[in-house]
Amino acid sequence: MQIDMQHISKSFGSNEVLKDVNFSVKGGEVHALMGENGAGKSTMMNILTGLLEPNSGTILVDGKETNFASALEAEQHGIAFIHQEMNNFGEMPVLDNMFLNKEIKKGFGLIDNAKMKTIAQKALDQLDMKVDFSQPIGELSVGQQQMIEIAKSLMTDAKIIIMDEPTAALTQDEIQKLFVVIRKLRDQGVGLIYISHRMEELFEIADRVTVMRDGLTINTYNTADTNVKQIVHDMVGRDMGDFYPERHPKYGKTMLEVSGLTNDKFKDISFSVRSGEVLAFSGLMGAGRTEIMRAIFGIDKLDAGTIKVDGKELTIKNPNDAISHNVGFLTEDRKTEGLILDATLADNIDLPSIDGFSKHGLIDEKADKDFVDMLLKRLNVKANGRDDEAGSLSGGNQQKVVLAKWVGSGSQVLILDEPTRGVDVGAKREIYDLMNELTDRGTAIIMVSSDLDEVLGFSDKIAVVYEGHLMDVVDTKDATQESIMTLATGGKNE
Amino acid sequence: MSNQTEAEAKKKFSFGDFYKKLGPMVALIVLIVLVSVLNFSFLDPLNLLNLLRQVSVNALIAFGMEFVILTGGIDLSVGAIVALSGAFTAQLVLSGVPTLLSLLIGMLTGAIFGAINGVIIAYGKAAPFIATLATQTILRGATYVFTKGNPITGTKMSNNFGFQFFGQGYLFGIPFPVYIMAIFYICAYILLHRTTFGRKTYALGGNPKAAFVAGVKNNKMIILIYTIAGFLSAVAGAILTSRLASAQPDAGNAYEMDAIAAVVLGGTSLAGGKGRMFGTLIGALIIGVLNNGMNLLGISSFYQQIVKGIVILVAVLLDRKQAKA
C-alpha cells in the first residue's frame, strides 16, 4: 500500500499550521517524521487518519483519492495510529481494552471471549509476547501497553502503522525489542511512519526521513544519504550554534539549598542553586525530576529532608508557603496546572500576587490592572489585551503568561519544568532571553528539561537524575551528550 | 490583523455571548411585560412589594449557592439548613432567649452546618452532590427529631414584636426582608467581585489544580464557601420562621432546587468558574415573577411546576450552547 499526501493545508482560525505539505509512505519502509513540537507532525497525521479535515489538498491511497471521514474509516482502510498517550481504560482487563467497541459477539448480544482471545493471541504471537488477558491493563508496564497497541493494529490487519513517539517512555531494553518488531513488520510489507525526537533512533531504524518545521515539509532524505547536522539544521532553520543565547552568569549567594529530600519517588536528594545561576535537571522520563520539584514547592509531601531558601530553613506545607518565600514554579503541564484556560490573562497572571494588591481583602483594581499590563508588555505576550481568555492563545504565548505569573510574584527561586515544551522556535528564544534577564537580576533558576540540546545549550550546571537518585551535578562546560546520557541511564563517567 | 478583528466582531454577535451578558435581564423584562399585560394587578405596588418579600428567602439562599456553584460544587442541604436553623431560632425565642441573640445563634448554627459540609468535601474528598445529599437527609431527620414532627409555635413568638418584625415588618413602606436581601446582595457582590476571596473562588472553579499551584488554599476556600452558603440559608430560615410565626418541620423543602435554578437562570455555569452575582439576583427575580405571575393568573400549582421546570430546562440548554460556542 502506498499513501501520498499532496499539497495539504490546514488552519485553525487565523493560525496556519500546515502550509502546502507533501508526504508519502509505502509498504515495506520505515519513514521517520522529525520536527520540533508544533512543527505540524501531529496535525498531518491526524488528517491522514481522518481525525481532522484538511482545508485543501488530496490524499491518495494507492493512487486513488480518498478522504477518511473518521478514524474508524481510516482503520478500515488499514491505517492504524498508535498515539503517544494511550487511550486505555486502566481498570479494564487487557482483552476488553483490545476489543473496545469492536467486541465479537455470538448471538443474543453476548460477547465471545474465547474467539477474542484466539485472535488477540495470534497478534501477540507475532510480537513474541505473553500477557494475562484478564489482568487490568493499567498494571502492565508502559512498554507492554505500547506492545498491546501494536498488537491491536496487527489485529485490524493494518498496512500502514503510525507510531507517535513510541519510545518516549520505554527502557533501552524495550526500545530494542520494539525495533525488532518494527523491522519484522517492515519485512512483511507494512509501511511505518515513525515520529520521534531522538536522532540516534532515526538512524537506527528509518529508511527515509522527512523533516517538518513551522507547518512546512522542509526536506525528505534517504537516511543513508544524510547526517545529524543536516537534519538538525532543517529542524531549527539555522545552525545550533546561535540558537541558544550565551550565558554570562554572575553568581551571588546560595538561594536554594536542599538536603536529604526523600519521598516514595526519590531518595536523599541534595543540591543548591545560587543567585544568577541556571541549574538544569536532566534525566529520562519518569526519573523523578518533576516529583522532586513538586515536593520542594509543597505540592507533594516530603518524608525527609530540609529546604533552605535564602539561608532560612523552611517548612513548606503547600504552594502558598513556597510563594510567600518567593519561590515560583512553572509546572510541566501548563493546561492542567499552569493556567485557568477559561479565565482571562489578568486573572491568571495576578493570582499568586493578588494578596499584594489588596487591603483587608479588597482589591486595588487600578494597581492590579497596571501590574498585569506591565507584565504582558514585558514578556511580549501576543494578545488583544488582559481580558483575553488564556485558552485562546498559542502554546508559546500561554507559556509566557505562566512565566508572567511567576515573574510578577517576585520569584527569587524560579523552578521551570519543561519551560519550552510545545513552544515554537521564536517564543523559545524569547524565553531563554527572559531567563538571562532574570538571572542577571539575581534570580536563581532551576530548569527541568528532557531536551538534551537545551540542557547543554542553556545552563550553568547540570544535575542528572536516574530512578529517583541524583547521580551527579556537573559543570555544563565539561558536559557532553554522552556523559549526560550515561548518567541518565544509570552509568558512571570515568 | 483584519482576520482578528473579523473574528472578534463575529464573537460579539454570537448568541451565547449575548445571552451570557444580557439574557437573564431580557428574560426578566419579557416575563414582567407578559405578566403585566395578562393581569394589570401585577404592577400594583403592593403586589410588587409582596413579590420582593417572597423573593428574598430564595435570593439569600441563591447568593450562597452562587459561590458554591462557581467552585464547581453544589449544595443540596440548604433547604434542610433553613428548617433546622429555623427550628432552633423558634425554640430559643419560645424559651425566652433575647430575640436578637436567638436570631444570631440560629444563623451561627447554619454557618456551622455549612462548615461541616465544607470539611467533608475538602478533606473527605467527597463529591459535593453526594456529601450534601447525605447531610440534607441527616439535617432533615434532625429537624423532625427536634420538632417531634410538629410545628414549633407559641404566643411568645407571635407576640414578640422584634421577632415578628424580622420577617413581617415594614420600614418606610418596604418589607424588612427586602432590606436584608439588599444588604446581603451588596455584601455578596463585593465579596465576589471586589476581593481576593472572590478572585480565588473563580480560580478554584476554573481549574483547582492551577489555583493550588498558584498559592490558593483550596481546602480553606471550600470550607469558607460552604460556610457562607449555610449561613445565608439560616438567614433565609430566620425570615421564613418569623413570617410564618412558627417553625415547620418540613420548612424549606426543595428550596435547594429554586436556589440552583436561580443561579443557573442567572447565567452561571454549573461547571464552575463562570457567572456573576447580579445574574443570580436576576435569576431569583425571574423565579419570583414566575411564581407570583402564575398565581395571579390563577394557574394551578400543578401546572406551575411544569412551567418552572421548562423554564429551567431552557436556561440549561442555552448554557450548554454557550459552552460549546
Side-chain angles (χ1 to χ4, degrees):
Chain A
M1 181 146 115
Q2 167 147 5
I3 290 177
D4 293 283
M5 298 179 76
Q6 295 174 342
H7 306 295
I8 305 281
S9 294
K10 175 74 187 172
S11 305
F12 296 110
S14 59
N15 187 11
E16 213 180 348
V17 291
L18 286 181
K19 302 163 197 164
D20 194 27
V21 299
N22 294 298
F23 182 76
S24 72
V25 61
K26 54 183 185 289
E29 77 162 345
V30 178
H31 193 153
L33 192 52
M34 300 284 290
E36 308 218 291
N37 291 321
K41 295 167 301 190
S42 302
T43 308
M44 190 158 81
M45 291 303 110
N46 285 336
I47 286 172
L48 176 58
T49 52
L51 290 168
L52 289 174
E53 210 179 317
N55 294 111
S56 62
T58 49
I59 300 172
L60 303 178
V61 176
D62 288 331
K64 265 210 313 271
E65 190 172 336
T66 316
N67 275 313
F68 301 124
S70 69
L72 189 67
E73 212 180 301
E75 204 176 292
Q76 283 159 356
H77 278 79
I79 300 174
F81 193 167
I82 301 173
H83 292 268
Q84 187 178 4
E85 278 141 36
M86 286 168 284
N87 307 313
N88 282 328
F89 296 84
E91 306 288 324
M92 255 163 68
V94 173
L95 192 69
D96 296 12
N97 266 292
M98 291 181 77
F99 284 89
L100 196 66
N101 254 331
K102 285 175 275 202
E103 293 86 355
I104 296 170
K105 296 181 187 144
K106 53 181 176 188
F108 301 114
L110 295 174
I111 289 170
D112 190 344
N113 273 317
K115 194 166 174 194
M116 282 170 17
K117 267 184 197 162
T118 321
I119 294 172
Q121 192 54 55
K122 228 171 84 191
L124 289 172
D125 283 346
Q126 287 185 59
L127 307 174
D128 287 327
M129 194 178 167
K130 280 194 180 64
V131 290
D132 174 2
F133 285 123
S134 58
Q135 196 181 2
I137 201 160
E139 291 176 7
L140 301 184
S141 75
V142 181
Q144 283 176 307
Q145 291 188 42
Q146 195 93 48
M147 288 296 182
I148 298 279
E149 287 295 310
I150 296 170
K152 269 161 73 178
S153 58
L154 295 178
M155 278 172 8
T156 61
D157 205 18
K159 296 285 185 294
I160 301 287
I161 300 178
I162 305 163
M163 295 184 181
D164 191 358
E165 302 236 21
T167 57
L170 299 191
T171 64
Q172 208 55 42
D173 206 35
E174 287 171 324
I175 291 175
Q176 285 313 319
K177 261 193 209 151
L178 176 70
F179 283 178
V180 171
V181 171
I182 289 178
R183 289 196 189 96
K184 201 161 143 191
L185 290 172
R186 177 186 63 192
D187 296 342
Q188 290 168 4
V190 175
L192 292 112
I193 301 173
Y194 188 89
I195 302 174
S196 175
H197 287 301
R198 298 187 177 178
M199 208 59 77
E200 66 276 24
E201 287 178 3
L202 155 72
F203 286 95
E204 191 174 342
I205 196 76
D207 302 303
R208 285 200 294 165
V209 53
T210 292
V211 183
M212 293 189 76
R213 183 180 77 233
D214 298 339
L216 296 164
T217 39
I218 304 297
N219 268 314
T220 299
Y221 304 101
N222 287 320
T223 330
D225 306 333
T226 184
N227 55 45
V228 175
K229 206 172 161 213
Q230 190 163 32
I231 287 174
V232 169
H233 183 272
D234 285 352
M235 275 169 69
V236 299
R238 62 189 122 178
D239 288 319
M240 286 309 276
D242 61 355
F243 186 68
Y244 297 101
E246 274 182 49
R247 297 264 318 135
H248 300 288
K250 275 197 222 55
Y251 303 131
K253 59 185 169 174
T254 300
M255 286 305 300
L256 174 74
E257 187 177 359
V258 304
S259 61
L261 299 186
T262 302
N263 73 12
D264 56 343
K265 296 283 168 53
F266 49 84
K267 226 182 143 175
D268 200 19
I269 304 290
S270 305
F271 66 89
S272 64
V273 206
R274 287 170 290 180
S275 161
E277 188 171 42
V278 175
L279 171 67
F281 261 75
S282 189
L284 297 178
M285 202 180 275
R289 296 166 300 166
T290 296
E291 288 75 11
I292 295 168
M293 302 309 152
R294 291 174 70 87
I296 292 174
F297 196 65
I299 301 173
D300 296 342
K301 290 231 168 354
L302 273 174
D303 294 336
T306 56
I307 300 170
K308 272 191 204 170
V309 176
D310 202 5
K312 277 195 299 283
E313 190 169 328
L314 305 176
T315 318
I316 294 176
K317 290 196 297 286
N318 54 45
N320 194 282
D321 291 342
I323 293 165
S324 62
H325 290 95
N326 298 323
V327 181
F329 183 34
L330 176 137
T331 52
E332 181 180 25
D333 188 338
R334 68 175 162 267
K335 291 210 163 85
T336 57
E337 290 187 320
L339 289 170
I340 302 162
L341 293 169
D342 288 342
T344 63
L345 302 184
D347 286 350
N348 272 288
I349 288 174
D350 66 15
L351 193 56
S353 321
I354 194 72
D355 290 325
F357 292 104
S358 58
K359 229 181 199 167
H360 311 300
L362 279 174
I363 298 167
D364 181 343
E365 303 279 347
K366 168 108 180 32
D368 184 32
K369 274 181 185 148
D370 291 346
F371 170 76
V372 169
D373 288 344
M374 180 272 288
L375 284 165
L376 286 174
K377 208 171 143 207
R378 178 161 172 215
L379 277 94
N380 192 22
V381 177
K382 290 184 193 75
N384 297 322
R386 71 177 99 83
D387 293 328
D388 276 12
E389 279 186 12
S392 71
L393 303 189
S394 72
N397 281 300
Q398 285 185 5
Q399 194 73 324
K400 286 193 219 164
V401 170
V402 186
L403 278 164
K405 195 161 98 167
W406 296 118
V407 170
S409 74
S411 305
Q412 293 297 306
V413 177
L414 190 51
I415 305 170
L416 306 175
D417 197 353
E418 305 286 359
T420 63
R421 178 185 282 175
V423 164
D424 60 83
V425 178
K428 255 187 191 177
R429 177 68 195 230
E430 286 182 71
I431 289 172
Y432 298 133
D433 287 338
L434 175 77
M435 285 163 73
N436 259 341
E437 189 194 319
L438 291 172
T439 49
D440 284 348
R441 290 168 179 229
T443 309
I445 293 181
I446 296 173
M447 175 180 77
V448 177
S449 173
S450 298
D451 181 344
L452 205 46
D453 289 327
E454 176 176 83
V455 165
L456 289 164
F458 194 78
S459 71
D460 305 326
K461 279 188 171 179
I462 304 171
V464 188
V465 181
Y466 168 72
E467 294 192 342
H469 295 272
L470 183 57
M471 302 299 284
D472 203 356
V473 181
V474 297
D475 273 336
T476 305
K477 56 181 187 298
D478 303 332
T480 61
Q481 295 244 0
E482 291 71 30
S483 69
I484 300 295
M485 266 332 269
T486 309
L487 289 169
T489 49
K492 281 212 160 48
N493 290 309
E494 292 309 314
Chain B
M1 193 63 211
S2 70
N3 251 342
Q4 233 170 28
T5 44
E6 202 178 302
E8 220 180 310
K10 214 170 151 191
K11 210 172 153 192
K12 245 173 214 158
F13 291 113
S14 88
F15 185 73
D17 231 36
F18 172 77
Y19 179 80
K20 191 166 61 184
K21 287 206 178 91
L22 292 168
M25 196 73 196
V26 173
L28 177 62
I29 292 168
V30 168
L31 197 61
I32 289 173
V33 171
L34 193 71
V35 175
S36 316
V37 169
L38 291 173
N39 190 330
F40 288 125
S41 59
F42 175 79
L43 290 175
D44 184 330
L46 274 180
N47 181 54
L48 290 179
L49 287 176
N50 186 33
L51 184 153
L52 283 178
R53 198 182 58 191
Q54 289 164 355
V55 165
S56 63
V57 170
N58 181 34
L60 282 164
I61 303 172
F63 298 156
M65 191 69 81
E66 169 77 12
F67 282 96
V68 169
I69 288 180
L70 276 175
T71 68
I74 197 112
D75 189 346
L76 300 180
S77 72
V78 288
I81 293 178
V82 165
L84 187 52
S85 64
F88 282 165
T89 308
Q91 192 60 51
L92 287 167
V93 172
L94 280 185
S95 37
V97 175
T99 309
L100 201 58
L101 191 62
S102 307
L103 289 169
L104 285 176
I105 292 174
M107 292 171 196
L108 190 68
T109 54
I112 292 169
F113 297 141
I116 293 171
N117 278 333
V119 169
I120 295 169
I121 291 160
Y123 289 103
K125 305 274 171 249
F129 188 95
I130 300 300
T132 58
L133 182 66
T135 53
Q136 177 203 63
T137 314
I138 294 168
L139 293 174
R140 180 64 66 185
T143 311
Y144 286 125
V145 171
F146 185 74
T147 61
K148 300 187 185 69
N150 299 312
I152 299 177
T153 185
T155 46
K156 267 193 177 164
M157 264 166 88
S158 44
N159 292 340
N160 181 328
F161 173 77
F163 183 69
Q164 295 285 62
F165 184 80
F166 194 73
Q168 298 178 19
Y170 283 78
L171 198 63
F172 309 117
I174 292 170
F176 190 65
V178 178
Y179 290 99
I180 299 175
M181 172 173 76
I183 289 167
F184 279 110
Y185 171 72
I186 293 167
C187 292
Y189 182 91
I190 291 174
L191 188 61
L192 185 59
H193 298 300
R194 292 278 178 269
T195 70
T196 58
F197 181 86
R199 206 61 85 74
K200 288 171 187 174
T201 304
Y202 281 104
L204 194 57
N207 183 347
K209 282 183 179 173
F212 183 63
V213 170
V216 176
K217 291 178 176 163
N218 293 12
N219 288 343
K220 189 178 132 196
M221 286 293 297
I222 285 173
I223 293 169
L224 283 173
I225 283 168
Y226 282 87
T227 305
I228 292 171
F231 170 77
L232 287 171
S233 305
V235 176
I239 293 176
L240 193 67
T241 312
S242 162
R243 199 166 84 202
L244 302 173
S246 82
Q248 305 286 335
D250 58 355
N253 197 17
Y255 276 23
E256 57 278 0
M257 287 309 154
D258 271 1
I260 293 166
V263 171
V264 172
L265 283 171
T268 297
S269 157
L270 280 173
K274 283 191 166 180
R276 300 197 51 89
M277 195 53 78
F278 180 67
T280 292
L281 178 66
I282 299 294
L285 287 170
I286 289 174
I287 291 177
V289 173
L290 261 180
N291 284 337
N292 181 285
M294 287 193 290
N295 278 335
L296 283 182
L297 298 175
I299 295 171
S300 107
S301 65
F302 302 153
Y303 284 102
Q304 286 193 16
Q305 290 208 18
I306 297 175
V307 172
K308 249 164 68 180
I310 290 172
V311 168
I312 293 163
L313 199 57
V314 168
V316 172
L317 291 175
L318 286 173
D319 177 58
R320 290 312 310 149
K321 205 168 171 180
Q322 168 197 327
K324 259 187 266 170

